[in-house]
């Protein structure tokens, strides 16, 4: 490293000596312009490497909490404690120590960290005796026929469906799907929590707010015993450059996020807390966003009715190099036809339809197809077909991506004002559900744009407070949950569409 720096300095000195005196000043200026950012980037990378990535700190925080709890339990176990062997049905086995005053909740916390499970899905049983949360473990099993030096406990996992919802006052709640009870309150935003993205497997979530911040949450941290609503603090806060963040899409595999605020869209590397790209070109504010992370395509809709398609193929999904911050890219193309607020855009992941084909230059190409669903407040719903010719990968082909795209409108449906406010699509069955004003859900057949059925909440409709502003659908289970401006969530049964369950959250407005 030292030798390389010395050679570089010597080369610069020799170059200065060879340049004319008249050109030397200009040469020095250009040299400073290109070389000065280098040590800055190196220092930033060094600081980032020393601090560790965001998700590394999240895992380290969990490990630290688990170790602290284990040390506390070992201290308590010195006075009359026993060894506990926990075994699960999947074959996992863990050893720990419990003291005479160790409660069931403390042991559950330790087991949840060891097994990597959500705390509220952990159930412990000794023989036929359940381990109670607020009772000492040894007291709960005192009647069991076991050796006093060693206790065997079985770990049972009870899968629990949870709901994450945000509101206009900036609060976010983690709730139980079956009962609607609050499990945790997430406090970190000062303005409207506009959008949420959750990775239930890793038990973490990312939220974006009108206060121009994104918050990363550990959904397993500091959860209270059953019946209590705990409070969670964000693990990391990302401050965007947008004036008011309204749309969010996250790829948890690559740990990249795309967020829209004002007229700009930003691509973030969450691990390094850095903005990689800024997409600019909108006339109005961005209201909707959909991303195909594998194809590296993004689609955005604005309050002016414009829809833009973006390409971020040249940004690697995983890279060790430090990209320049706030690099800007132009849109690929624009989709016309909407006149008012484009409140929903849905981009299907690309499908390969042809393999044996050659272009005009004789190169082997494949054809990928994506369907696009767009909807606006004027009640206009449109389905588009996007085709992309994909030649053998090379740098020139990537730069010419715009010329390889072909977009056509398959059908258009015109409804009344407010008939489309949000949407969820199941591309495998070509079905879509849209939320409308007055508390209605509409089921669509995407093959022909046919409206299959309209459903009302059953709690009265026609009121502004019943306007559906967000919807999340579990298509395999045929269950849906919608959020409205009235501060409540509705659960819909899509199999029978007979009746719904209303879960009042007490929030000013909901995003499910």
């Amino acid at each position: 490293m030292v030798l390389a720096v010395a050679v570089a300095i010597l080369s610069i000195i020799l170059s200065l000596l060879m340049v004319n005196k008249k050109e030397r000043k200009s040469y020095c200026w250009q040299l400073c312009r290109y070389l000065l950012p280098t040590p800055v980037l190196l220092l930033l990378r060094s600081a980032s490497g020393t601090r560790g990535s965001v998700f590394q700190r999240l895992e380290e925080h969990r490990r630290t909490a688990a170790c602290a709890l284990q040390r506390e339990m070992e201290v308590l176990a010195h006075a009359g404690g026993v060894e506990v062997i926990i075994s699960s049905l999947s074959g996992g086995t863990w050893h720990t120590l419990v003291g005479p005053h160790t409660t069931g909740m403390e042991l559950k916390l330790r087991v949840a960290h060891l097994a990597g499970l959500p705390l509220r899905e952990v159930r412990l049983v000794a023989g036929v005796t359940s381990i109670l949360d607020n009772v000492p473990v040894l007291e709960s099993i005192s009647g069991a026929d076991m050796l006093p030096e060693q206790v065997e406990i079985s770990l049972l996992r009870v899968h629990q469906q949870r709901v994450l919802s945000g509101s206009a006052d900036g609060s976010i709640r983690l709730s139980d799907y079956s009962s609607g009870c609050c499990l945790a309150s997430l406090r970190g935003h000062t303005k409207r929590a506009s959008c949420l993205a959750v990775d239930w497997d890793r038990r973490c979530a990312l939220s974006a707010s009108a206060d121009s911040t994104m918050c990363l949450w550990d959904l397993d941290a500091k959860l209270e015993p059953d019946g209590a609503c705990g409070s969670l603090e964000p693990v990391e806060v990302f401050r965007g450059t947008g004036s008011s963040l309204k749309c969010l899409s996250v790829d948890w595999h690559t740990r990249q996020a795309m967020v829209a605020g004002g007229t700009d869209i930003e691509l973030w590397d969450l691990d390094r807390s850095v903005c990689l790209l800024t997409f600019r070109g909108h006339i109005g504010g961005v209201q909707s966003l959909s991303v195909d992370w594998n194809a590296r395509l993004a689609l955005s809709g604005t309050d002016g009715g414009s829809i833009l398609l973006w390409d971020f193929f040249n940004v690697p999904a995983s890279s060790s190099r430090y990209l320049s911050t706030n690099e800007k890219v132009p849109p690929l193309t624009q989709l016309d036809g909407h006149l008012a607020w484009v409140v929903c855009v849905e981009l299907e992941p690309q499908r390969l339809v042809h393999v044996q084909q050659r272009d005009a230059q004789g190169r082997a190409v494949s054809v990928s197809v994506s369907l696009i669903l767009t909807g606006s407040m004027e009640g206009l719903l449109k389905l588009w077909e996007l085709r992309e010719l994909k030649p053998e990968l090379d740098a020139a082909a990537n730069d010419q991506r715009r010329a390889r795209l072909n977009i056509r409108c398959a059908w258009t449906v015109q409804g009344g004002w407010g008939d489309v406010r949000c949407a969820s699509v199941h591309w495998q069955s070509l079905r879509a559900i849209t939320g409308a004003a007055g508390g209605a859900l509409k089921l669509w057949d995407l093959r022909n744009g046919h409206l299959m059925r309209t459903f009302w909440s059953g709690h009265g409709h026609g009121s502004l407070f019943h306007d559906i502003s967000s919807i999340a659908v579990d298509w395999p289970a045929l269950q849906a949950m919608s959020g409205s401006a009235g501060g409540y969530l509705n659960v819909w049964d899509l199999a029978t569409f007979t009746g719904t369950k209303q879960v009042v959250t007490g929030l000013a407005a909901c995003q499910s």
Side-chain angles (χ1 to χ4, degrees), residues 20-87:
N20 296 332
K21 291 184 178 181
K22 295 182 180 180
E23 299 178 357
R24 191 169 296 171
K25 183 177 180 181
S26 175
Y27 180 81
C28 291
W29 168 252
Q30 294 293 333
L31 194 65
C32 294
R33 179 184 175 186
Y34 288 104
L35 291 184
L36 280 179
T38 302
V40 175
L41 292 178
L42 290 175
L43 287 174
L44 288 173
R45 176 186 287 182
S46 176
S48 175
T50 303
R51 191 184 178 202
S53 71
V54 172
F55 287 86
Q56 285 176 347
R57 295 199 300 275
L58 174 61
E59 294 301 324
E60 182 64 28
H61 171 74
R62 290 177 174 176
R63 286 194 296 268
T64 302
C67 292
L69 180 63
Q70 175 65 12
R71 288 194 297 268
E72 181 180 348
M73 294 180 66
E74 288 176 352
V75 170
L76 294 174
H78 281 306
V82 299
E83 180 184 9
V84 174
I85 302 176
I86 300 102
S87 58

Side-chain angles (χ1 to χ4, degrees), residues 78 81 178 265 379 401 425 496 507:
H78 281 306
S178 301
I265 302 176
R401 193 172 193 181
V425 181
T496 60
L507 303 180

Side-chain angles (χ1 to χ4, degrees), residues 223-292:
L223 290 184
E224 302 294 333
D226 294 341
C229 184
S231 179
L232 301 184
E233 298 294 331
V235 176
E236 187 79 9
V237 177
F238 309 90
R239 302 198 177 276
T241 58
S243 57
S244 177
L245 304 183
K246 290 187 176 181
C247 310
L248 175 67
S249 178
V250 180
D251 183 11
W252 294 104
H253 178 68
T254 61
R255 295 171 179 173
Q256 291 183 351
M258 193 170 289
V259 62
T263 60
D264 296 340
I265 302 176
E266 297 175 348
L267 177 64
W268 279 76
D269 183 338
L270 298 179
D271 244 357
R272 291 178 288 194
S273 303
V274 62
C275 177
L276 302 178
L277 287 176
T278 299
F279 302 86
R280 290 180 176 170
H282 299 99
I283 302 301
V286 181
Q287 302 296 321
S288 51
L289 177 68
S290 182
V291 183
D292 183 353

Side-chain angles (χ1 to χ4, degrees), residues 477-497:
L478 293 178
Q479 295 284 325
M481 177 167 282
S482 61
S484 73
Y488 57 81
L489 301 175
N490 270 344
V491 180
W492 305 75
D493 184 358
L494 303 184
T496 60
F497 288 97

Side-chain angles (χ1 to χ4, degrees), residues 265 277-282 296-298 300 308-314 327-334 399 401-402 405:
I265 302 176
L277 287 176
T278 299
F279 302 86
R280 290 180 176 170
H282 299 99
R296 313 298 281 176
L297 288 172
S300 59
L308 298 181
L309 184 66
W310 306 88
D311 171 31
F312 56 106
F313 187 88
N314 291 325
E327 185 179 344
K328 302 175 181 63
V329 294
L332 277 176
T333 186
Q334 179 171 329
D399 295 337
R401 193 172 193 181
R402 181 182 290 103
L405 295 175

